[in-house]
Amino acid sequence: MNTIQSYINSHKDRFLNELIELLKIPSISADSAYKKDVLKTAEAVKSSLEKAGCDMVELCTTDGHPIVYGEKIIDPKLPTVLVYGHYDVQPPDPINLWDSPPFEPVIKKTELHPDGAIYARGACDDKGQMYMHVKAMELMTNTNTLPCNVKFMIEGEEEVGSVNLSTYVNNNREKLKNDVILISDTGMIAPDVPSITTGLRGLSYVEVEVTGPNRDLHSGLYGGAVANPINILAKMIAELHDENNRITIPGFYDEVQELSKEERAEMAKAPFNLENYKKSIGIPDIYGEKGYTTNERNSIRPTLDVNGIWGGYTGEGAKTVIASKAYAKISMRLVPNQDWHDITEKFTKHFESIAPDAVTIKVTPHHGGQAYVTPIDNIGYQAASKAYEDTFGTPAIPHRGGGSIPIVSLFEQQLKSKTILMGFGLDSDAIHSPNEHYGLRNYYKGIETIPLFYKYFTEMFNE
Amino acid sequence: MNTIQSYINSHKDRFLNELIELLKIPSISADSAYKKDVLKTAEAVKSSLEKAGCDMVELCTTDGHPIVYGEKIIDPKLPTVLVYGHYDVQPPDPINLWDSPPFEPVIKKTELHPDGAIYARGACDDKGQMYMHVKAMELMTNTNTLPCNVKFMIEGEEEVGSVNLSTYVNNNREKLKNDVILISDTGMIAPDVPSITTGLRGLSYVEVEVTGPNRDLHSGLYGGAVANPINILAKMIAELHDENNRITIPGFYDEVQELSKEERAEMAKAPFNLENYKKSIGIPDIYGEKGYTTNERNSIRPTLDVNGIWGGYTGEGAKTVIASKAYAKISMRLVPNQDWHDITEKFTKHFESIAPDAVTIKVTPHHGGQAYVTPIDNIGYQAASKAYEDTFGTPAIPHRGGGSIPIVSLFEQQLKSKTILMGFGLDSDAIHSPNEHYGLRNYYKGIETIPLFYKYFTEMFNE
């Protein structure tokens, strides 16, 4: 047993009990009724960083909840790791679907977690994963193995869109200067398959409105002679994909970063069972862009999905009406190099251009974010992969996530450094849902893997 | 001045006052709170038919509101006209949009009605138009000009779907036997352009449901890899029309009765101003099946319109969801010879066939009705046209209505006779809306024209 493992073994119960105490505080950032609890959690995190060996720890006030900042600079010549995490949690609603109270953590064994999992709001997202970094820091401090400088930035507003983080980062560029950013707020492919999220998709979200006649019309008297906004909207939406399910917006794919054969082959190594996938979401068959696998379609390829549609009579029974207006909410997931402002503009222009003269169109952009990617030849990635191989006995699989984490693009833009997403959660951990939990094995594996990342990253950085 | 005109002139004020009294009774069939008023109206109609000269008048009870039946059989060898009308009215809501109380009739002059119009719920639909027939009967009785037998069937449930009429008609086929059915419950093209509604469209109304995944999914994690029910529904709706706006359902047009060049030329004589049409409903341009005019598209051609659509997130802001289900209400207006059961079946089969394997489809038929047409060589039509020519100085224009009046098909089916729709209302009369009104000129013109119809019909019948 090496130093890391023996330290963890000796402090196992305390590591768990400390996390349980943190999970008991309902740090719900979305609900102002919990403002004091959010602050109490920030103070607990601050105190834990001090105990873990940081030289300087502070609560940085923002217009919202505070950011906990901590650092230990052992040598300015050595590289610096910036750890990002968040101590706030999602609201636990619907409460009645929880098997145990969300802020009274309990340990339960499950099929996927034979060693037990801790059930509580925030267990995985992100208190459990964030606290692994605090404990890894403690471990490195107490075993004299911290190989580089470290900075912690733990915020309390991630679940409400990190509204004040951008200002904080922008105002503290020098203070936050680093060589790599480390985040554990994502998942791994399977309990025994470590994976590193190397990419996140960007987003462009718009709302469209199609207007035909200036009032609802009787479909008997006008049907057939007047453009029906719902039919037209359906036609326009249909035209946004071709027969191969490729998006037809001119220039949409212009900047799309195509993956090499090698990268796609690497991705294809991820364990995936199509039948289980279909069964898990109850679909008769998969559907998507020709020439790509399911895992490619939902990660390295851009998409266009209607997230909501409405118009006309939607109540019980029948009403023979031609609606004056029809609406849809449409989002596009973007991949690296696609700029969401550019895509929003291209969408708008195209959507307006395909409308027949008989209707008028309004496109309202909602919001967006850039895609993000970490190249696997980046030393941050390499160090993480080597660390995983040590602790799991198998190298990490690079995984492109389909979702969007806007802060990662923000960090790259403002701090000019790459982020390594070392997630230890599982898709089945029910984050944002009732009965959120986090495997004890995952928690301890995280604490074991992180110091190795520091070790390998520093070695590679100095090479 | 002829007999008819002089009789009307002598009784003008009484004719109006009697109608005003009838309009004062709130015979709202949809609201059980008005049950007594509905009955009171039925009794008033009964009494008016007795005074007009009917030999036998009765209130026929049904499971709902009573039907007023009256008749005068002068000679079994002479033809029989069956007059249908209704004494019930639509609810007046929204009351606050009425300029005067809906059941306190007032006379006002307007641009379209320089001689004045009577403002009240039911003024046009259908008390005013129905009462023209009662007064025409009185006129013929008192001037000894009734040339044939006459039967009246005035119901009190037209505004709630004539729910008990079918049973009544079916149980009284012999009693209701007739040679032509006469109804004034439609409109004319313009104040000085008499027109006869020669056709009504049928209807097939269905609801469709497209199911993808068994629950709403995160569009970041699944977007691109899973069939999105809203996108699929849009695509399927779009596929229901081709590039010429023809409906693509196989066999949909098989039974469609095409009009002859002559019939289309006759239709085209109806005054129509495209710019005014566009302006009246605020549309930038018209839209419809290639090869047909606006008036043809909304009357002699079948259509397919989405009357309502919904799915996914339709609230404020943005939610990145792939909905589990998407829905639409779709109605098809049908033309003569298309059977609505057959069309519903063809739609269902086709809609299921164009669905990709990645979704499941459910089609639920709501209701339907057959189209109806009166050939213009029918003596009923000829008699009506001649009558109009006498009173308006111009022959009536045959007009195919785009809407559906299911009772007309019912009469043809059960009583084996054709219906002549002699409407005297105007589109601008605001039936079913606040400030419903009926022009006094239209009312008196109706009373003047109807006896001429009896005269010409009897003459032509005997030829």
Side-chain angles (χ1 to χ4, degrees):
Chain A
M1 199 181 284
N2 64 31
T3 315
I4 296 174
Q5 287 164 341
S6 72
Y7 187 89
I8 293 172
N9 260 357
S10 317
H11 300 276
K12 232 179 154 109
D13 292 347
R14 181 172 56 81
F15 283 3
L16 180 57
N17 290 333
E18 284 176 15
L19 175 57
I20 286 175
E21 289 309 307
L22 202 60
L23 290 169
K24 283 183 183 170
I25 322 172
S27 52
I28 306 167
S29 50
D31 188 341
S32 59
Y34 293 89
K35 205 180 162 183
K36 279 189 184 172
D37 292 299
V38 176
L39 182 61
K40 197 175 156 192
T41 314
E43 283 162 350
V45 172
K46 177 173 179 275
S47 159
S48 73
L49 283 172
E50 286 163 347
K51 285 181 198 153
C54 284
D55 291 335
M56 190 277 272
V57 189
E58 56 182 6
L59 277 198
C60 306
T61 53
T62 71
D63 285 349
H65 301 300
I67 292 164
V68 186
Y69 177 80
E71 63 174 37
K72 187 176 181 82
I73 309 297
I74 55 172
D75 183 347
K77 290 194 294 286
L78 285 169
T80 301
V81 175
L82 172 65
V83 175
Y84 165 87
H86 65 95
Y87 64 82
D88 64 321
V89 300
Q90 276 275 318
D93 315 85
I95 291 272
N96 60 319
L97 294 183
W98 284 78
D99 295 332
S100 57
F103 298 105
E104 297 176 22
V106 290
I107 312 288
K108 278 189 272 189
K109 290 184 181 177
T110 70
E111 205 179 325
L112 263 177
H113 298 292
D115 298 337
I118 183 164
Y119 281 74
R121 169 57 83 229
C124 176
D125 176 21
D126 181 46
K127 283 176 176 168
Q129 295 209 69
M130 175 271 290
Y131 206 65
M132 297 182 317
H133 289 270
V134 181
K135 293 300 100 181
M137 174 70 186
E138 174 198 315
L139 183 154
M140 291 185 286
T141 303
N142 291 348
T143 56
N144 280 312
T145 53
L146 181 67
C148 61
N149 306 308
V150 58
K151 295 174 178 175
F152 286 88
M153 174 172 61
I154 314 295
E155 72 156 322
E157 298 187 311
E158 200 270 349
E159 301 294 2
V160 290
S162 301
V163 277
N164 295 295
L165 189 71
S166 174
T167 308
Y168 177 78
V169 172
N170 201 32
N171 291 344
N172 293 281
R173 290 185 192 207
E174 195 50 42
K175 178 174 168 178
L176 297 171
K177 215 175 156 197
N178 65 77
D179 299 292
V180 70
I181 297 167
L182 192 57
I183 304 180
S184 296
D185 196 17
T186 50
M188 50 198 281
I189 291 175
D192 289 312
V193 185
S195 50
I196 300 167
T197 302
T198 53
L200 294 164
R201 291 197 283 191
L203 181 72
S204 165
Y205 200 113
V206 301
E207 187 161 323
V208 300
E209 180 190 297
V210 178
T211 305
N214 57 11
R215 60 178 191 278
D216 289 1
L217 300 177
H218 189 285
S219 73
L221 304 182
Y222 291 90
V226 168
N228 177 327
I230 304 177
N231 285 71
I232 298 295
L233 176 59
K235 186 169 146 46
M236 291 173 73
I237 289 170
E239 281 178 37
L240 296 174
H241 286 93
D242 70 11
E243 67 281 10
N244 294 321
N245 276 314
R246 275 176 73 87
I247 294 155
T248 55
I249 299 167
F252 186 83
Y253 292 95
D254 280 0
E255 309 299 327
V256 166
Q257 200 183 64
E258 298 283 347
L259 264 66
S260 66
K261 266 191 189 166
E262 292 68 32
E263 285 174 299
R264 289 178 69 182
E266 192 65 24
M267 269 189 76
K269 287 183 187 162
F272 178 74
N273 180 302
L274 189 60
E275 285 314 308
N276 288 351
Y277 181 83
K278 281 156 63 174
K279 210 170 142 192
S280 74
I281 50 175
I283 52 170
D285 205 353
I286 51 166
Y287 189 87
E289 188 184 356
K290 204 176 164 180
Y292 293 91
T293 66
T294 292
N295 277 336
E296 289 172 341
R297 286 169 176 169
N298 65 23
S299 61
I300 61 166
R301 298 301 297 168
T303 67
L304 185 151
D305 271 300
V306 182
N307 302 109
I309 193 165
W310 69 104
Y313 180 70
T314 59
E316 215 178 302
K319 194 176 169 185
T320 48
V321 67
I322 292 177
S324 169
K325 286 173 189 286
Y327 306 83
K329 290 177 194 277
I330 298 176
S331 70
M332 288 155 284
R333 295 281 167 176
L334 309 177
V335 297
N337 292 354
Q338 286 185 299
D339 176 78
W340 79 267
H341 302 283
D342 175 55
I343 291 294
T344 304
E345 208 176 286
K346 281 177 172 154
F347 173 89
T348 305
K349 213 172 138 187
H350 179 62
F351 202 72
E352 286 167 353
S353 79
I354 62 173
D357 293 339
V359 298
T360 54
I361 300 294
K362 195 171 126 192
V363 178
T364 310
H366 265 304
H367 66 278
Q370 306 296 22
Y372 174 79
V373 73
T374 300
I376 59 175
D377 57 7
N378 173 286
I379 63 161
Y381 178 86
Q382 297 288 342
S385 184
K386 214 157 151 25
Y388 275 117
E389 194 165 358
D390 281 6
T391 52
F392 282 85
T394 169
I397 289 174
H399 169 72
R400 291 279 287 266
S404 309
I405 309 185
I407 47 160
V408 175
S409 304
L410 171 83
F411 292 161
E412 177 159 49
Q413 205 184 331
Q414 299 200 346
L415 302 176
K416 314 289 175 207
S417 51
K418 286 286 179 189
T419 293
I420 306 300
L421 294 159
M422 286 180 85
F424 289 87
L426 293 178
D427 276 357
S428 53
D429 284 347
I431 66 165
H432 292 210
S433 295
N435 301 314
E436 176 178 351
H437 56 280
Y438 189 40
L440 298 187
R441 182 167 174 274
N442 304 65
Y443 180 55
Y444 294 122
K445 274 284 178 199
I447 301 171
E448 186 185 348
T449 309
I450 292 163
L452 292 167
F453 170 80
Y454 280 74
K455 176 173 177 277
Y456 293 128
F457 182 75
T458 307
E459 285 173 13
M460 292 176 185
F461 188 86
N462 291 330
E463 269 166 20
Chain B
M1 200 181 286
N2 64 33
T3 316
I4 296 173
Q5 287 163 341
S6 72
Y7 188 90
I8 293 172
N9 259 356
S10 318
H11 300 276
K12 230 177 157 115
D13 293 346
R14 179 172 56 81
F15 283 3
L16 180 57
N17 291 333
E18 284 176 15
L19 175 58
I20 287 174
E21 289 309 307
L22 202 61
L23 289 169
K24 284 183 182 170
I25 322 172
S27 53
I28 306 165
S29 51
D31 188 340
S32 59
Y34 293 89
K35 205 180 164 183
K36 278 189 182 170
D37 292 299
V38 177
L39 182 61
K40 197 176 155 191
T41 313
E43 282 162 351
V45 172
K46 176 170 179 276
S47 158
S48 73
L49 283 173
E50 285 163 348
K51 285 180 198 152
C54 284
D55 292 333
M56 189 278 273
V57 189
E58 58 182 4
L59 278 200
C60 307
T61 53
T62 70
D63 285 347
H65 301 300
I67 291 164
V68 185
Y69 177 80
E71 64 175 38
K72 188 177 179 82
I73 308 298
I74 55 173
D75 183 347
K77 290 194 296 287
L78 286 169
T80 302
V81 175
L82 172 64
V83 175
Y84 165 87
H86 65 95
Y87 63 83
D88 64 323
V89 299
Q90 276 275 318
D93 314 84
I95 289 271
N96 60 319
L97 293 183
W98 283 78
D99 295 332
S100 56
F103 298 106
E104 297 174 23
V106 290
I107 311 289
K108 278 189 273 189
K109 290 184 181 177
T110 71
E111 205 179 326
L112 263 178
H113 298 291
D115 299 337
I118 183 164
Y119 280 75
R121 170 56 85 230
C124 176
D125 178 19
D126 182 48
K127 282 176 177 169
Q129 295 208 67
M130 175 271 288
Y131 206 65
M132 297 182 316
H133 289 270
V134 181
K135 292 299 100 179
M137 174 71 185
E138 175 199 313
L139 184 154
M140 291 184 285
T141 304
N142 291 348
T143 57
N144 280 312
T145 54
L146 180 69
C148 60
N149 306 310
V150 58
K151 295 174 178 175
F152 286 87
M153 174 171 62
I154 314 295
E155 71 155 322
E157 297 187 312
E158 199 271 348
E159 300 296 1
V160 290
S162 301
V163 277
N164 294 295
L165 189 71
S166 174
T167 308
Y168 177 79
V169 171
N170 201 31
N171 291 343
N172 294 279
R173 290 184 192 208
E174 194 52 40
K175 178 175 167 178
L176 298 171
K177 214 175 157 199
N178 65 77
D179 298 292
V180 70
I181 297 167
L182 191 58
I183 304 180
S184 296
D185 197 16
T186 50
M188 51 199 278
I189 292 175
D192 288 310
V193 185
S195 50
I196 301 166
T197 301
T198 53
L200 294 164
R201 291 198 283 192
L203 181 72
S204 165
Y205 200 112
V206 300
E207 187 161 323
V208 300
E209 179 189 297
V210 177
T211 305
N214 57 12
R215 61 179 190 279
D216 288 2
L217 300 177
H218 189 285
S219 73
L221 305 182
Y222 291 91
V226 168
N228 177 327
I230 303 178
N231 286 72
I232 298 295
L233 176 59
K235 187 168 143 52
M236 292 173 71
I237 289 170
E239 281 179 37
L240 297 174
H241 287 93
D242 69 12
E243 68 281 8
N244 294 322
N245 275 314
R246 276 176 72 88
I247 294 154
T248 55
I249 299 167
F252 186 83
Y253 292 96
D254 280 1
E255 310 298 327
V256 166
Q257 201 184 65
E258 297 284 346
L259 264 66
S260 66
K261 267 190 189 170
E262 292 68 31
E263 284 173 298
R264 290 177 69 181
E266 192 66 25
M267 269 189 77
K269 287 182 188 162
F272 179 74
N273 180 303
L274 189 60
E275 285 314 307
N276 288 351
Y277 181 82
K278 281 155 64 174
K279 211 171 140 191
S280 73
I281 50 175
I283 53 170
D285 205 354
I286 50 166
Y287 190 87
E289 188 184 356
K290 204 176 162 180
Y292 294 91
T293 67
T294 291
N295 277 336
E296 289 171 341
R297 285 169 177 170
N298 66 22
S299 61
I300 62 166
R301 298 300 298 168
T303 67
L304 184 150
D305 271 300
V306 182
N307 303 109
I309 193 165
W310 68 104
Y313 180 69
T314 59
E316 216 178 301
K319 193 176 171 186
T320 50
V321 67
I322 293 178
S324 169
K325 286 173 188 286
Y327 306 84
K329 291 178 195 275
I330 299 175
S331 70
M332 288 157 282
R333 294 282 167 175
L334 309 177
V335 296
N337 291 353
Q338 285 185 298
D339 177 78
W340 78 268
H341 302 283
D342 175 55
I343 291 295
T344 304
E345 206 176 287
K346 281 176 173 154
F347 173 89
T348 305
K349 212 172 139 187
H350 179 62
F351 202 72
E352 285 168 354
S353 79
I354 62 173
D357 293 340
V359 298
T360 52
I361 300 293
K362 195 171 126 193
V363 178
T364 310
H366 265 305
H367 66 281
Q370 306 296 21
Y372 174 80
V373 72
T374 301
I376 60 175
D377 57 7
N378 174 287
I379 63 161
Y381 179 88
Q382 297 288 341
S385 184
K386 213 158 155 23
Y388 274 117
E389 196 167 354
D390 280 6
T391 52
F392 283 83
T394 171
I397 289 174
H399 170 71
R400 289 278 287 265
S404 310
I405 309 184
I407 48 158
V408 175
S409 303
L410 170 84
F411 292 160
E412 176 159 48
Q413 207 185 329
Q414 298 199 348
L415 302 176
K416 315 288 175 207
S417 50
K418 285 286 177 189
T419 292
I420 305 302
L421 294 159
M422 285 180 87
F424 289 86
L426 292 178
D427 276 356
S428 53
D429 284 348
I431 65 166
H432 291 211
S433 295
N435 301 314
E436 176 178 351
H437 56 280
Y438 188 40
L440 298 187
R441 183 167 174 274
N442 303 65
Y443 180 55
Y444 294 122
K445 274 283 178 198
I447 301 171
E448 187 185 346
T449 310
I450 292 163
L452 292 167
F453 169 81
Y454 281 74
K455 177 173 176 278
Y456 293 128
F457 182 76
T458 308
E459 284 173 16
M460 291 176 184
F461 188 87
N462 292 329
E463 268 167 18

